[in-house]
Amino acid sequence: MLISVYIPLAVTAVLTVLAPRLSRRLAPRSAAWALACAALVTTVGWTGSLALLAFTAVAQIPQVAAEGHWSIPALRAEDPVHLAVAVAGALVLAVGGVSLILAAARQAHHLLWARRECARMPGDSELTVVDDDTPQAFALPGAPGRIVVSRGMLRCLADEEREALLAHERAHLRSRHHLFQTLWRLTAAANPLLRPLADAGGFALERWADEEAAAQVGSRRIVARAVGRAALASSSHASRTPTLAVTGGPVPQRVQALLAPPPPRRTLPIAGGALLLALCCAGLANAASDSDQMLDDAQRVLCAASITHTSGAPRPEGFHHGQDVCCERRIRGERAERHE
């Protein structure tokens, strides 16, 4: 546990640095899925490691040790984690938990707002044109989702560019990109180290929609012009447009990618990321196993001390009245296992 408990934390730090860079070299759809898997797995590993670190301190509280029926001195002797590290892990875990709850509430409020807005819009068609001179276009997830475009945005684009814009927003809805965003925001709330990964994920979603639009329109250059003109038109107007919009992400990089050939499929970065995630899971599993073994050994010490106490020796530290029954059951169980 001395090393394995820190492996998920180290893997999270490495992926935080490498994932945004590697995701730009992957096909956007593959990058989005890879970043989603990385965020989910590393958050589980991060939370599990912090919980194991924090438990090493909590387990030494007399009341907890009494309920768990283990010896505090034995646990303290086998525990390789410094008390200050365990307390710091507990504080980080608590802050992350509160942040996650707040982020979940915000995401739920945002999704409910989007559904209400979709329900209020007239008509049953997917496209809703708003009589507003402010250039804006975005996708609202709902049941079904809606594409909202202002007349000001439509006046800024040519016919073929309008088609590209609608194809871009339609790709957001069809691929349910808001679920990816929700995952990244929640994991970044639980683990602040994942915020760069969440930003890279947002860019991957916009690139994914760009590529889908280019495939539907049949011209990467038209989509590039639509993205550039839409961004220029909306840049001079302060708006609170939702993030599933054609103007989202670093627009110059998106335009440059659209003017280049389609990104090739790469397997090496995905294989490397999968290896790191497997290492994260293995480290967490090994740390959990070591922690369980440590508690089991501490319980054995207390049971042995209980037997010594019955022969007249003084009670050991951490031993409480009523634990004789637990130790006796444990000894009987071990004898039955040896007999079998």
Side-chain angles (χ1 to χ4, degrees):
M1 180 177 174
L2 180 60
I3 297 177
S4 59
V5 73
Y6 298 105
I7 290 179
L9 307 181
V11 170
T12 301
V14 171
L15 285 177
T16 298
V17 175
L18 296 182
R21 301 178 183 178
L22 294 177
S23 65
R24 296 177 183 271
R25 300 183 180 182
L26 297 173
R29 181 174 181 177
S30 300
W33 278 104
L35 291 174
C37 293
L40 183 60
V41 174
T42 54
T43 298
V44 173
W46 169 274
T47 305
S49 293
L50 291 178
L52 290 175
L53 289 173
F55 185 71
T56 59
V58 174
Q60 298 180 31
I61 299 175
Q63 292 79 3
V64 177
E67 291 294 329
H69 307 293
W70 54 68
S71 170
I72 295 179
L75 186 64
R76 189 177 297 132
E78 291 192 26
D79 184 14
V81 180
H82 195 276
L83 182 60
V85 176
V87 172
L91 292 176
V92 173
L93 186 64
V95 172
V98 174
S99 179
L100 177 60
I101 293 174
L102 295 177
R106 287 193 298 267
Q107 286 301 112
H109 179 269
H110 177 75
L111 292 177
L112 289 176
W113 168 83
R115 287 182 175 270
R116 286 197 301 265
E117 290 296 317
C118 288
R120 292 174 182 174
M121 292 180 181
D124 298 329
S125 62
E126 183 184 48
L127 175 63
T128 299
V129 179
V130 180
D131 190 11
D132 189 353
D133 292 334
T134 303
Q136 56 181 340
F138 53 89
L140 277 180
R146 296 293 188 95
I147 299 174
V148 181
V149 183
S150 67
R151 295 191 182 277
M153 177 64 78
L154 294 178
R155 285 195 294 266
C156 296
L157 304 177
D159 291 341
E160 53 187 11
E161 295 168 353
R162 295 174 185 173
E163 182 183 357
L165 181 143
L166 296 180
H168 175 100
E169 301 301 343
R170 192 174 294 113
H172 281 315
L173 294 179
R174 183 174 58 250
S175 300
R176 304 181 71 82
H177 287 173
H178 65 284
L179 298 181
F180 288 85
Q181 286 186 326
T182 299
L183 173 64
W184 288 321
R185 287 170 181 169
L186 293 180
T187 53
N191 181 3
L193 291 180
L194 295 179
R195 289 176 182 174
L197 189 146
D199 295 337
F203 177 76
L205 292 183
E206 295 300 334
R207 286 283 299 115
W208 183 354
D210 289 342
E211 294 295 330
E212 293 283 338
Q216 181 174 341
V217 174
S219 172
R220 302 175 63 82
R221 188 171 294 275
I222 290 176
V223 178
R225 285 206 310 266
V227 170
R229 288 188 177 181
L232 288 175
S234 60
S235 62
S236 58
H237 295 81
S239 63
R240 301 175 62 183
T241 303
T243 52
L244 291 178
V246 72
T247 54
V251 173
Q253 297 179 19
R254 290 171 55 196
V255 172
Q256 183 179 5
L258 284 168
L259 295 178
R265 293 187 177 183
R266 301 176 185 269
T267 58
L268 185 59
I270 295 179
L275 182 61
L276 284 176
L277 295 181
L279 182 62
C280 176
C281 295
L284 180 61
N286 185 70
S289 177
D290 289 348
S291 179
D292 183 69
Q293 183 63 42
M294 183 176 62
L295 293 178
D296 191 61
D297 292 342
Q299 288 178 336
R300 289 175 184 273
V301 170
L302 191 61
C303 287
S306 174
I307 297 174
T308 304
H309 168 67
T310 58
S311 62
R315 289 179 180 268
E317 181 185 351
F319 186 83
H320 297 272
H321 180 70
Q323 292 180 340
D324 300 281
V325 177
C326 175
C327 294
E328 182 178 354
R329 290 176 181 174
R330 184 182 185 87
I331 294 172
R332 287 179 179 177
E334 292 178 352
R335 288 175 179 174
E337 290 178 359
R338 289 196 298 268
H339 180 71
E340 294 177 356

